[in-house]
Amino acid sequence: MAIQLDLSTSQYGTAFSGAYFRIVTASISRELGDSFTVMIDCSGFATATPTDDTHPVDFRRYHAPLAIIEGTEGNDFLSKCYTWVMTQDDMNGSEAV
């Protein structure tokens, strides 16, 4: 699974039509007390077939309460993360690919 999004600008100052975002990190951290937070890092690429040598054109980091991710539609933790990321304001207009 991945997310496709047209970028009007990137970290390089250029637009990329159909940028390909994939989650590179999804981790759970325990906060004070009994609350847990999910940190999700997404790298955006100018190609749908990035390799280990492909440099990202964009990077985004998200934080969400674990309970929100767990309550999101999806078959497993990672698919729930993708679904939640796509609902964020800066991913407006994105689609799953």
Side-chain angles (χ1 to χ4, degrees), residues 35-77:
S35 64
F36 294 85
T37 299
V38 178
M39 181 191 71
I40 303 167
D41 288 345
C42 295
S43 289
F45 300 92
T47 176
T49 55
T51 66
D52 288 342
D53 296 324
T54 306
H55 294 283
V57 296
D58 200 31
F59 175 83
R60 298 174 185 201
R61 175 169 283 168
Y62 303 95
H63 297 284
L66 178 59
I68 296 292
I69 299 297
E70 288 176 331
T72 300
E73 184 178 328
N75 295 328
D76 55 32
F77 178 71

